[in-house]
Amino acid sequence: SKVSTENSYNFGKEDASYKVVVLDLGVKKNILRCLAERDCYLKVFPVNSSFEEIKAWEPHGIMLSNGPGDPAAMPKVVKLVKEIIKTDIPVFGICLGHQVLGLACGFSTYKMHNGHRGVNHPVKNLLTGKCEITSQNHGFCVGTSNGSHSIEIVDSPNGFEIEITHTHLNDGTIAGFRLKNKKIFSVQFHPESSAGPNDSRYLFDEFIENIRLS
């Protein structure tokens, strides 16, 4: 609550093709830029926003932003995300947004012995087999990894079919997942990073494609 905006605000061109809600958990401005550059008009909502307020703006997609802190200390946000994923609205989560999405799906999160900090973390995209050099800054992690560096399909405790899409090559922790039957995905790292590696900017394009196909 200390890093989220107190009042909602807009970003980008009002006549853009897509309307995207950004739930501000401590959003980095370059995330907003990356979406605006892809023909999105954004409305950034405070962390304490209700599902009714978000839905009333009639967004084409929802971004769950990055931010600091322990995701397990945010039960109201997790409850909100549970309501969001019941809809057919495409969702993209980054960092804390990824962790909150994991909790909403019924997984756990845990405090890491050594967090991931820096701009040179190797991540494997399990869907393409390619390695990406990523920017990371987190001390908590979604707790569903079995250490495998292969595609894994798991059923979440809340009944969602989850596909692990990215793993961290240094320690095997989960770096990304998606809901198989919905246009919802998230990553633990920062694809918007600047200055830094731009290997993962394609994720914004995938989010826009999900919106376009909805």
mmCIF file of all heavy atoms in Angstrom, residues 175-196:
data_model
loop_
_atom_site.group_PDB
_atom_site.id
_atom_site.type_symbol
_atom_site.label_atom_id
_atom_site.label_comp_id
_atom_site.label_asym_id
_atom_site.label_seq_id
_atom_site.Cartn_x
_atom_site.Cartn_y
_atom_site.Cartn_z
ATOM 1 N N ALA A 175 10.166 -19.843 -12.901
ATOM 2 C CA ALA A 175 10.321 -18.475 -13.374
ATOM 3 C C ALA A 175 9.145 -18.037 -14.234
ATOM 4 O O ALA A 175 9.106 -16.896 -14.689
ATOM 5 C CB ALA A 175 11.625 -18.323 -14.153
ATOM 6 N N GLY A 176 8.186 -18.936 -14.479
ATOM 7 C CA GLY A 176 7.011 -18.565 -15.247
ATOM 8 C C GLY A 176 6.037 -19.725 -15.351
ATOM 9 O O GLY A 176 6.446 -20.892 -15.321
ATOM 10 N N PHE A 177 4.750 -19.407 -15.449
ATOM 11 C CA PHE A 177 3.740 -20.438 -15.671
ATOM 12 C C PHE A 177 2.543 -19.830 -16.377
ATOM 13 O O PHE A 177 2.404 -18.609 -16.467
ATOM 14 C CB PHE A 177 3.317 -21.120 -14.360
ATOM 15 C CG PHE A 177 2.534 -20.255 -13.403
ATOM 16 C CD1 PHE A 177 1.151 -20.137 -13.503
ATOM 17 C CD2 PHE A 177 3.173 -19.563 -12.390
ATOM 18 C CE1 PHE A 177 0.427 -19.352 -12.625
ATOM 19 C CE2 PHE A 177 2.463 -18.778 -11.495
ATOM 20 C CZ PHE A 177 1.083 -18.662 -11.615
ATOM 21 N N ARG A 178 1.676 -20.685 -16.887
ATOM 22 C CA ARG A 178 0.451 -20.215 -17.516
ATOM 23 C C ARG A 178 -0.693 -21.156 -17.179
ATOM 24 O O ARG A 178 -0.472 -22.336 -16.853
ATOM 25 C CB ARG A 178 0.612 -20.104 -19.024
ATOM 26 C CG ARG A 178 0.780 -21.421 -19.767
ATOM 27 C CD ARG A 178 0.926 -21.184 -21.264
ATOM 28 N NE ARG A 178 1.072 -22.438 -22.015
ATOM 29 C CZ ARG A 178 1.195 -22.501 -23.329
ATOM 30 N NH1 ARG A 178 1.199 -21.380 -24.043
ATOM 31 N NH2 ARG A 178 1.323 -23.662 -23.938
ATOM 32 N N LEU A 179 -1.900 -20.643 -17.240
ATOM 33 C CA LEU A 179 -3.099 -21.461 -17.075
ATOM 34 C C LEU A 179 -3.460 -22.024 -18.435
ATOM 35 O O LEU A 179 -3.662 -21.268 -19.396
ATOM 36 C CB LEU A 179 -4.252 -20.634 -16.500
ATOM 37 C CG LEU A 179 -4.255 -20.433 -14.976
ATOM 38 C CD1 LEU A 179 -3.077 -19.576 -14.532
ATOM 39 C CD2 LEU A 179 -5.564 -19.813 -14.517
ATOM 40 N N LYS A 180 -3.537 -23.330 -18.531
ATOM 41 C CA LYS A 180 -3.682 -23.998 -19.819
ATOM 42 C C LYS A 180 -4.961 -23.617 -20.556
ATOM 43 O O LYS A 180 -4.961 -23.491 -21.779
ATOM 44 C CB LYS A 180 -3.643 -25.515 -19.613
ATOM 45 C CG LYS A 180 -2.262 -26.077 -19.377
ATOM 46 C CD LYS A 180 -1.467 -26.162 -20.661
ATOM 47 C CE LYS A 180 -1.999 -27.282 -21.546
ATOM 48 N NZ LYS A 180 -1.239 -27.400 -22.819
ATOM 49 N N ASN A 181 -6.064 -23.453 -19.854
ATOM 50 C CA ASN A 181 -7.346 -23.229 -20.507
ATOM 51 C C ASN A 181 -7.795 -21.772 -20.479
ATOM 52 O O ASN A 181 -8.950 -21.476 -20.754
ATOM 53 C CB ASN A 181 -8.409 -24.121 -19.865
ATOM 54 C CG ASN A 181 -8.091 -25.598 -20.028
ATOM 55 O OD1 ASN A 181 -7.609 -26.006 -21.072
ATOM 56 N ND2 ASN A 181 -8.323 -26.380 -18.989
ATOM 57 N N LYS A 182 -6.874 -20.878 -20.122
ATOM 58 C CA LYS A 182 -7.177 -19.449 -20.112
ATOM 59 C C LYS A 182 -6.001 -18.674 -20.690
ATOM 60 O O LYS A 182 -4.880 -19.187 -20.751
ATOM 61 C CB LYS A 182 -7.467 -18.968 -18.683
ATOM 62 C CG LYS A 182 -8.783 -19.475 -18.102
ATOM 63 C CD LYS A 182 -9.016 -18.946 -16.691
ATOM 64 C CE LYS A 182 -10.369 -19.379 -16.158
ATOM 65 N NZ LYS A 182 -11.483 -18.637 -16.776
ATOM 66 N N LYS A 183 -6.242 -17.447 -21.083
ATOM 67 C CA LYS A 183 -5.175 -16.599 -21.612
ATOM 68 C C LYS A 183 -4.546 -15.821 -20.452
ATOM 69 O O LYS A 183 -4.610 -14.593 -20.379
ATOM 70 C CB LYS A 183 -5.729 -15.673 -22.698
ATOM 71 C CG LYS A 183 -6.166 -16.427 -23.959
ATOM 72 C CD LYS A 183 -6.694 -15.483 -25.017
ATOM 73 C CE LYS A 183 -6.895 -16.211 -26.346
ATOM 74 N NZ LYS A 183 -7.853 -17.317 -26.267
ATOM 75 N N ILE A 184 -3.925 -16.584 -19.561
ATOM 76 C CA ILE A 184 -3.345 -16.028 -18.340
ATOM 77 C C ILE A 184 -1.950 -16.609 -18.157
ATOM 78 O O ILE A 184 -1.775 -17.834 -18.176
ATOM 79 C CB ILE A 184 -4.218 -16.354 -17.111
ATOM 80 C CG1 ILE A 184 -5.586 -15.670 -17.236
ATOM 81 C CG2 ILE A 184 -3.525 -15.929 -15.822
ATOM 82 C CD1 ILE A 184 -6.549 -16.013 -16.113
ATOM 83 N N PHE A 185 -0.952 -15.742 -17.989
ATOM 84 C CA PHE A 185 0.399 -16.223 -17.746
ATOM 85 C C PHE A 185 1.172 -15.201 -16.920
ATOM 86 O O PHE A 185 0.749 -14.040 -16.784
ATOM 87 C CB PHE A 185 1.127 -16.519 -19.061
ATOM 88 C CG PHE A 185 1.472 -15.303 -19.884
ATOM 89 C CD1 PHE A 185 2.720 -14.707 -19.789
ATOM 90 C CD2 PHE A 185 0.551 -14.756 -20.779
ATOM 91 C CE1 PHE A 185 3.048 -13.595 -20.564
ATOM 92 C CE2 PHE A 185 0.866 -13.646 -21.546
ATOM 93 C CZ PHE A 185 2.113 -13.065 -21.444
ATOM 94 N N SER A 186 2.297 -15.633 -16.368
ATOM 95 C CA SER A 186 3.103 -14.727 -15.552
ATOM 96 C C SER A 186 4.547 -15.188 -15.540
ATOM 97 O O SER A 186 4.848 -16.360 -15.810
ATOM 98 C CB SER A 186 2.561 -14.670 -14.115
ATOM 99 O OG SER A 186 2.683 -15.931 -13.483
ATOM 100 N N VAL A 187 5.442 -14.247 -15.210
ATOM 101 C CA VAL A 187 6.871 -14.563 -15.089
ATOM 102 C C VAL A 187 7.432 -13.888 -13.843
ATOM 103 O O VAL A 187 6.941 -12.852 -13.400
ATOM 104 C CB VAL A 187 7.677 -14.106 -16.332
ATOM 105 C CG1 VAL A 187 7.294 -14.925 -17.555
ATOM 106 C CG2 VAL A 187 7.505 -12.616 -16.607
ATOM 107 N N GLN A 188 8.481 -14.514 -13.301
ATOM 108 C CA GLN A 188 9.108 -14.015 -12.080
ATOM 109 C C GLN A 188 10.082 -12.881 -12.363
ATOM 110 O O GLN A 188 10.402 -12.097 -11.474
ATOM 111 C CB GLN A 188 9.836 -15.171 -11.384
ATOM 112 C CG GLN A 188 10.505 -14.818 -10.079
ATOM 113 C CD GLN A 188 9.518 -14.323 -9.038
ATOM 114 O OE1 GLN A 188 8.816 -15.085 -8.430
ATOM 115 N NE2 GLN A 188 9.463 -13.007 -8.842
ATOM 116 N N PHE A 189 10.538 -12.760 -13.590
ATOM 117 C CA PHE A 189 11.579 -11.794 -13.937
ATOM 118 C C PHE A 189 10.974 -10.540 -14.559
ATOM 119 O O PHE A 189 9.752 -10.389 -14.622
ATOM 120 C CB PHE A 189 12.608 -12.438 -14.872
ATOM 121 C CG PHE A 189 12.008 -13.210 -16.017
ATOM 122 C CD1 PHE A 189 11.770 -12.613 -17.233
ATOM 123 C CD2 PHE A 189 11.675 -14.553 -15.865
ATOM 124 C CE1 PHE A 189 11.214 -13.324 -18.295
ATOM 125 C CE2 PHE A 189 11.130 -15.288 -16.910
ATOM 126 C CZ PHE A 189 10.896 -14.667 -18.124
ATOM 127 N N HIS A 190 11.846 -9.626 -15.024
ATOM 128 C CA HIS A 190 11.402 -8.315 -15.507
ATOM 129 C C HIS A 190 11.655 -8.158 -17.006
ATOM 130 O O HIS A 190 12.741 -7.746 -17.421
ATOM 131 C CB HIS A 190 12.123 -7.198 -14.743
ATOM 132 C CG HIS A 190 11.642 -7.031 -13.351
ATOM 133 N ND1 HIS A 190 10.595 -6.204 -13.018
ATOM 134 C CD2 HIS A 190 12.041 -7.614 -12.194
ATOM 135 C CE1 HIS A 190 10.371 -6.271 -11.717
ATOM 136 N NE2 HIS A 190 11.236 -7.124 -11.193
ATOM 137 N N PRO A 191 10.662 -8.471 -17.845
ATOM 138 C CA PRO A 191 10.862 -8.345 -19.296
ATOM 139 C C PRO A 191 10.986 -6.912 -19.762
ATOM 140 O O PRO A 191 11.447 -6.659 -20.878
ATOM 141 C CB PRO A 191 9.604 -9.006 -19.882
ATOM 142 C CG PRO A 191 8.578 -8.899 -18.807
ATOM 143 C CD PRO A 191 9.334 -9.022 -17.521
ATOM 144 N N GLU A 192 10.567 -5.952 -18.933
ATOM 145 C CA GLU A 192 10.625 -4.537 -19.306
ATOM 146 C C GLU A 192 11.973 -3.908 -19.009
ATOM 147 O O GLU A 192 12.180 -2.717 -19.277
ATOM 148 C CB GLU A 192 9.536 -3.757 -18.563
ATOM 149 C CG GLU A 192 9.874 -3.313 -17.143
ATOM 150 C CD GLU A 192 9.965 -4.429 -16.119
ATOM 151 O OE1 GLU A 192 9.528 -5.560 -16.433
ATOM 152 O OE2 GLU A 192 10.480 -4.194 -15.016
ATOM 153 N N SER A 193 12.897 -4.668 -18.450
ATOM 154 C CA SER A 193 14.140 -4.141 -17.905
ATOM 155 C C SER A 193 14.871 -3.209 -18.874
ATOM 156 O O SER A 193 15.041 -3.515 -20.044
ATOM 157 C CB SER A 193 15.069 -5.301 -17.555
ATOM 158 O OG SER A 193 16.292 -4.826 -17.043
ATOM 159 N N SER A 194 15.291 -2.059 -18.346
ATOM 160 C CA SER A 194 16.026 -1.084 -19.153
ATOM 161 C C SER A 194 16.762 -0.144 -18.198
ATOM 162 O O SER A 194 16.136 0.435 -17.315
ATOM 163 C CB SER A 194 15.071 -0.272 -20.024
ATOM 164 O OG SER A 194 15.766 0.602 -20.854
ATOM 165 N N ALA A 195 18.072 0.034 -18.281
ATOM 166 C CA ALA A 195 18.932 -0.712 -19.195
ATOM 167 C C ALA A 195 19.127 -2.135 -18.678
ATOM 168 O O ALA A 195 19.187 -2.362 -17.471
ATOM 169 C CB ALA A 195 20.276 -0.025 -19.308
ATOM 170 N N GLY A 196 19.227 -3.050 -19.595
ATOM 171 C CA GLY A 196 19.357 -4.447 -19.226
ATOM 172 C C GLY A 196 19.030 -5.305 -20.418
ATOM 173 O O GLY A 196 18.744 -4.811 -21.507
#
